[in-house]
């Protein structure tokens, strides 16, 4: 509720927003906003009422509906607004000229000064209780998510076997077979006949659906019948059938009636076809279209392959035109000269190293020979060994009678010690 507060000074006339409509005068008028706000606050206290009338205009703008209702016995009319949030709760086939009953609540728009009524519910006058229940069931199933597009199954691109539920010897059966076979001659059908109206419609359709859904060869199921009045189509809005279709594992196409017919089966099926003929066209692809598509893809693949080969050939020619590939002999000759020089240098290096190693080996051999006991023996020296191979270094270690082995430059001789010989004094020079 809008609150207007006076901000006047003593002796001044109050602003228009501060004057209530009931207190207004020529000297102290109220404002348009204050007047409209007062009307709106008054109207807002009215309760919702049910009103009967005829729809005389019906305009959809931005998801909302702006319409007018005319009294059935006089020229009195009211403006009504149906917001987009309310549209799912009203029949979808309402149109100008329909006789309806609507639940409306008064609404006054302050900015434009327009008076209208917001609709919260609407139904046809004379609509049977059964059809009214169907609309409530439609709303319930939608709230449960059975109509959610995310739960709908994708149809196979090319079904090998199509399950068909329809009336025996019906036009719908002929339409589906003829149009499907025209599009793809090799398609096969498994047809289950069921009553398409009356008391036997629902149980026979449920049984046929169960048999086809259990068949692993069936890729998609079409439920088809011709058009009819709402009463004859009631079986395809039965809750049992709708829930069975929702629970089926095989994709299901609804082809019930004509374009304007709309049983609940259309909402829960994985695909809604406007007619049986439309179902046949949407279930199987057109062989001529697929052949044209294959020819187009082949042409594109050939073009791409030709372009790729031309590009690779051009690159190969570019590589072959380079000097290194066009005339490789000079490069090979220059490299062979480098190899010959490196080989000669390597041989010289190895020869010098071999000669140096030979000289070093000769020097080592001479040093070893100089230090070898054999060289000492060759100069006339001998080595005395006791038994056991011990070299005799002290004459006291070989008392008289000890066996000795004397090794000279060439061979060894056996000897026996006569004892230690006293050394003769060395004569001194005079």
């Amino acid at each position: 509720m809008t609150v207007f507060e006076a901000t006047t000074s003593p002796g001044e006339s109050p602003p228009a927003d501060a004057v209530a409509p009931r207190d207004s005068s020529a000297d102290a008028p109220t404002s348009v906003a204050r007047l409209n706000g007062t009307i709106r606050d008054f109207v807002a206290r009215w309760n919702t009422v049910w009103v009967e009338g005829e729809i005389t205009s019906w305009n959809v703008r931005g998801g909302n509906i702006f319409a007018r209702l005319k009294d059935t016995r006089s020229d009195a009319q009211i403006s009504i607004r149906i917001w987009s949030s309310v549209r799912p709760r009203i029949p979808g086939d309402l149109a100008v000229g329909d006789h309806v009953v609507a639940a409306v609540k008064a609404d006054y728009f302050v900015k434009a000064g327009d008076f209208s009524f917001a609709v919260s519910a609407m139904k046809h006058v004379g609509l049977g209780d059964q059809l009214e229940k169907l609309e409530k069931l439609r709303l319930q199933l939608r709230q449960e998510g059975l109509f959610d597009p995310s739960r709908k199954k994708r149809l196979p691109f090319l079904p090998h076997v199509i399950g068909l539920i329809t009336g025996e010897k019906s036009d719908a059966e002929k339409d589906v077979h003829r149009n499907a076979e025209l599009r793809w001659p090799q398609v096969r059908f498994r047809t289950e006949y069921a009553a398409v109206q009356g008391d036997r419609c629902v149980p026979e359709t449920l049984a046929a659906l169960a048999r086809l859904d259990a068949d692993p060869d069936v890729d998609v199921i079409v439920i088809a019948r011709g058009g009819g009045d709402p009463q004859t189509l009631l079986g395809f809005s039965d809750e049992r059938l709708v829930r069975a279709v929702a629970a089926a594992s095989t994709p299901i196409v609804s082809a019930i009636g004509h374009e304007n017919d709309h049983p609940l089966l259309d909402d829960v099926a994985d695909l809604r076809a406007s007619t049986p003929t439309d179902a046949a066209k949407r279930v199987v692809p057109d062989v001529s279209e697929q052949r044209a598509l294959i020819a187009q893809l082949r042409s594109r693949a050939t073009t791409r392959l030709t372009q790729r080969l031309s590009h690779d050939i051009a690159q190969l020619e570019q590589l072959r035109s380079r000097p290194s590939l066009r005339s490789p002999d000079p490069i090979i000759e220059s490299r062979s000269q480098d190899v010959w020089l490196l080989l000669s240098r390597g041989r010289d290096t190895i020869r010098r190293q071999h000669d140096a190693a030979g000289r070093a080996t000769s020097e080592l051999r001479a040093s070893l020979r100089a230090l070898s006991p054999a060289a000492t023996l060759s100069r006339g020296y001998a080595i005395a060994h006791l038994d056991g191979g011990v070299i005799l270094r002290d004459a006291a270690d070989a008392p008289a009678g000890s066996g000795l082995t004397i090794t000279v430059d060439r061979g060894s001789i056996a000897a026996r010690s006569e004892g230690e010989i006293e050394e003769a004094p060395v004569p001194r020079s005079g």
Side-chain angles (χ1 to χ4, degrees):
M1 182 182 214
T2 305
V3 178
F4 298 92
E5 296 182 358
T7 58
T8 60
S9 301
E12 293 182 358
S13 299
D17 284 346
V19 180
R22 65 176 179 274
D23 299 329
S24 62
S25 64
D27 296 329
T30 189
S31 67
V32 174
R34 183 68 182 267
L35 175 62
N36 282 355
T38 302
I39 296 173
R40 180 198 57 197
D41 295 341
F42 176 74
V43 168
R45 294 195 293 270
W46 295 1
N47 294 325
T48 299
V49 298
W50 285 91
V51 61
E52 179 182 353
E54 178 186 346
I55 299 175
T56 59
S57 67
W58 190 266
N59 299 312
V60 180
R61 295 198 301 270
N64 304 313
I65 298 175
F66 299 87
R68 293 187 68 81
L69 282 184
K70 178 181 175 296
D71 187 75
T72 57
R73 297 181 181 85
S74 67
D75 294 332
Q77 296 188 34
I78 61 172
S79 296
I80 59 173
R81 289 180 172 86
I82 304 175
W83 304 119
S84 58
S85 59
V86 179
R87 288 186 65 182
R89 302 200 299 268
I90 66 173
D93 59 348
L94 292 172
V96 174
D98 288 353
H99 187 191
V100 297
V101 174
V104 300
K105 182 174 176 59
D107 195 3
Y108 187 79
F109 290 85
V110 173
K111 185 175 181 180
D114 292 336
F115 185 82
S116 65
F117 290 87
V119 176
S120 58
M122 182 178 287
K123 65 179 182 178
H124 290 281
V125 172
L127 183 66
D129 292 340
Q130 198 168 17
L131 294 179
E132 185 71 20
K133 291 179 181 178
L134 288 182
E135 292 305 316
K136 293 181 180 179
L137 177 60
R138 189 190 303 274
L139 177 60
Q140 175 187 342
L141 296 177
R142 179 178 289 108
Q143 292 174 345
E144 291 181 14
L146 266 64
F147 302 161
D148 192 344
S150 63
R151 59 159 296 277
K152 296 183 182 296
K153 296 177 283 294
R154 185 186 298 274
L155 269 62
F157 169 71
L158 179 59
H160 298 288
V161 178
I162 298 176
L164 177 61
I165 302 175
T166 188
E168 187 173 4
K169 298 180 180 179
S170 63
D171 292 338
E173 179 185 10
K174 298 176 184 177
D175 289 343
V176 173
H177 276 265
R178 181 173 60 254
N179 287 279
E181 291 167 356
L182 284 174
R183 292 172 65 83
W184 201 273
Q186 284 74 28
V187 69
R188 295 186 294 121
F189 284 90
R190 178 183 170 184
T191 304
E192 293 284 345
Y193 296 115
V196 292
Q197 66 183 59
D199 296 338
R200 296 186 296 114
C201 175
V202 175
E204 291 184 6
T205 303
L206 284 172
L209 176 62
R211 289 192 293 271
L212 291 178
D213 191 37
D215 189 343
D217 295 331
V218 175
D219 299 316
V220 62
I221 300 173
V222 178
I223 304 177
R225 68 148 288 162
D229 59 74
Q231 186 66 32
T232 61
L233 300 180
L234 285 177
F236 298 99
S237 294
D238 187 270
E239 183 175 2
R240 293 170 296 171
L241 178 58
V242 171
R243 293 191 180 277
V245 170
S249 58
T250 308
I252 296 179
V253 178
S254 172
I256 305 300
H258 299 304
E259 180 68 33
N260 294 329
D261 297 325
H262 191 61
L264 293 182
L265 180 62
D266 287 348
D267 295 322
V268 75
D270 298 297
L271 176 68
R272 187 244 178 182
S274 57
T275 62
T277 299
D278 181 52
K281 293 179 178 179
R282 301 179 69 175
V283 167
V284 295
D286 189 337
V287 63
S288 60
E289 292 178 359
Q290 297 305 313
R291 285 175 175 170
L293 178 60
I294 292 173
Q296 181 183 5
L297 293 175
R298 282 179 174 175
S299 177
R300 289 171 58 185
T302 302
T303 302
R304 291 295 299 273
L305 183 59
T306 303
Q307 292 175 348
R308 180 59 183 268
L309 288 175
S310 300
H311 177 266
D312 291 348
I313 290 173
Q315 281 192 326
L316 182 59
E317 291 297 331
Q318 183 180 5
L319 292 173
R320 292 176 60 186
S321 65
R322 294 180 178 179
S324 58
L325 295 178
R326 185 178 64 251
S327 179
D329 293 343
I331 298 177
I332 295 176
E333 291 174 358
S334 63
R335 292 293 186 268
S336 63
Q337 182 67 20
D338 294 340
V339 171
W340 185 84
L341 292 174
L342 291 174
L343 182 60
S344 299
R345 188 183 304 169
R347 286 174 176 172
D348 292 341
T349 302
I350 292 174
R351 188 179 297 109
R352 289 194 299 270
Q353 291 178 351
H354 181 269
D355 294 342
R359 290 192 297 271
T361 302
S362 299
E363 293 175 357
L364 289 174
R365 183 180 292 110
S367 297
L368 289 175
R369 285 176 177 174
L371 298 175
S372 172
T376 304
L377 295 176
S378 66
R379 294 196 299 269
Y381 290 92
I383 300 174
H385 298 269
L386 297 173
D387 293 340
V390 179
I391 296 176
L392 180 62
R393 290 183 173 82
D394 190 345
D397 294 334
S402 299
L404 299 174
T405 301
I406 307 299
T407 300
V408 294
D409 183 28
R410 290 190 309 139
S412 298
I413 59 175
R416 188 170 297 277
S417 174
E418 293 295 336
E420 183 178 359
I421 301 173
E422 293 182 4
E423 294 182 2
V426 178
R428 299 182 180 180
S429 59

